[in-house]
Amino acid sequence: MPVPQQIYCCDRYGRLEILDPASLALSTVAAPNILAPSPGPALFALGYDTAKDNIYMTGLPDGTSFSGIAGDPTGSNLYALRLVLNGATYTPTEVAPPTRMVGPRPEWLVVDPTGGRLFVADAQQGLSVWNTTATVTGFTQLGSNYRPGLGALQAQGVAFSSALNRIYVCCQSATGADQIAVYDGTNSASMLQIAGSPFAFPSLALNSSRTSMLVVGSRLVVTTAAGVVAFNITATTIALVAGSPFPTSATAATQLGADPRGLAFDSINNRILVCNFGQNSVAALNSTSYAHMASSPFPTAQSPKSVIFNPTTA
């Protein structure tokens, strides 16, 4: 049977775990740990393709294999899996074979399900675009943009707006002048000089291990060491939302966690899910007000780095 509405979370030990959408705790409906990697290096990033019901992952370098799916020993890999629920067991089936990535640290990805594309941000070699329509011969690289048009800045996160046809890339500078670059969604090599981008936000304190990006409606949401920062976006502008970072209460660090990383939008419950790497938990924020939602964070995976939401119902 198809996999019902679930939340997936990957951790530093290479596990892909299933969370209950109501409680955000590890699922008790079925075996929550659906991948058993060996020897077990970290998974980098997750993406969910609503059009194909695929889960995309980066990581598992050096020939690591899991559930009978072998990795490529030449470097970091890109995987596509489809999950099938058989009784109480989730069976992962590989949709496309492993593919060598453009760089050694493909730590962020986002899916364009309508256009059949996957955008991958590599911390050392910038932005690359992959065709996700090929399911037999593997992924086809459509283009790459090293050091995404910003000199020595490193790509730290990526988001895509299908409504605006824009790609957003967080970039980190060795001097702390972190920036957000915006690219045309049709020609990903073309950086747009729109109002407010690229621009420096040293106060964001972006960090290569913490930054994640997500487009929710007309806003771009970014995780930072200080919490969640939001921007109002249009096709021609990007502007900081007043009150950022969120949550704004004195207990924000406790509510969100001191080390926020991956982001996901739960469209069913109108909330933003935030991985807390240091606290081994997942927190929830209201996706409109960014207020902390009661009862979170919830204990979950060990050092979770990325989280995705599957809105499908069985």
Side-chain angles (χ1 to χ4, degrees):
M1 63 177 294
V3 176
Q5 180 188 129
Q6 296 286 6
I7 297 167
Y8 306 103
C9 184
C10 70
D11 66 24
R12 66 181 301 178
Y13 299 106
R15 290 181 297 234
L16 178 61
E17 301 179 320
I18 299 176
L19 309 183
D20 180 81
S23 68
L24 295 183
L26 282 175
S27 174
T28 58
V29 177
N33 297 311
I34 58 178
L35 299 184
S38 174
L43 286 170
F44 292 145
L46 296 176
Y48 181 71
D49 189 334
T50 55
K52 299 180 180 64
D53 196 27
N54 290 343
I55 295 175
Y56 299 103
M57 305 186 302
T58 61
L60 301 170
D62 303 324
T64 298
S65 62
F66 58 91
S67 302
I69 302 172
D72 184 344
T74 61
S76 301
N77 296 284
L78 172 62
Y79 295 83
L81 303 177
R82 183 172 294 121
L83 302 182
V84 177
L85 181 58
N86 298 311
T89 303
Y90 288 92
T91 303
T93 301
E94 189 172 23
V95 180
T99 302
R100 175 73 170 99
M101 297 299 296
V102 294
R105 290 181 58 191
E107 297 194 36
W108 301 267
L109 65 84
V110 65
V111 181
D112 169 17
T114 303
R117 297 177 299 173
L118 187 65
F119 304 107
V120 179
D122 185 281
Q124 296 183 17
Q125 294 188 337
L127 177 70
S128 62
V129 185
W130 300 82
N131 184 348
T132 64
T133 60
T135 58
V136 178
T137 58
F139 299 98
T140 302
Q141 187 174 356
L142 300 177
S144 62
N145 192 21
Y146 295 96
R147 307 292 189 194
L150 296 172
L153 293 178
Q154 296 182 349
Q156 301 297 323
V158 62
F160 176 69
S161 170
S162 57
L164 300 176
N165 195 31
R166 295 290 183 262
I167 308 167
Y168 301 89
V169 181
C170 266
C171 302
Q172 183 184 34
S173 167
T175 64
D178 303 321
Q179 302 187 16
I180 295 177
V182 183
Y183 292 84
D184 182 89
T186 303
N187 178 13
S188 58
S190 175
M191 188 175 71
L192 303 176
Q193 300 296 329
I194 69 171
S197 171
F199 50 179
F201 281 103
S203 61
L204 293 189
L206 300 181
N207 181 290
S208 61
S209 64
R210 298 181 182 181
T211 306
S212 185
M213 306 180 74
L214 175 71
V215 172
V216 180
S218 61
R219 289 192 173 182
L220 174 68
V221 182
V222 182
T223 56
T224 74
V228 169
V229 175
F231 300 89
N232 289 315
I233 54 175
T234 70
T236 57
T237 62
I238 177 171
L240 187 67
V241 172
S244 293
F246 302 98
T248 56
S249 70
T251 57
T254 300
Q255 294 175 342
L256 189 61
D259 196 359
R261 302 204 182 183
L263 288 171
F265 175 50
D266 178 351
S267 57
I268 304 298
N269 299 293
N270 190 39
R271 60 186 180 180
I272 297 173
L273 307 175
V274 185
C275 283
N276 302 311
F277 188 84
Q279 277 76 11
N280 301 331
S281 61
V282 172
L285 302 179
N286 182 281
S287 62
T288 303
S289 66
Y290 306 103
H292 172 257
M293 300 184 74
S295 301
S296 75
F298 301 88
T300 180
Q302 294 296 310
S303 303
K305 188 178 186 300
S306 186
V307 61
I308 55 176
F309 177 70
N310 169 15
T312 306
T313 55

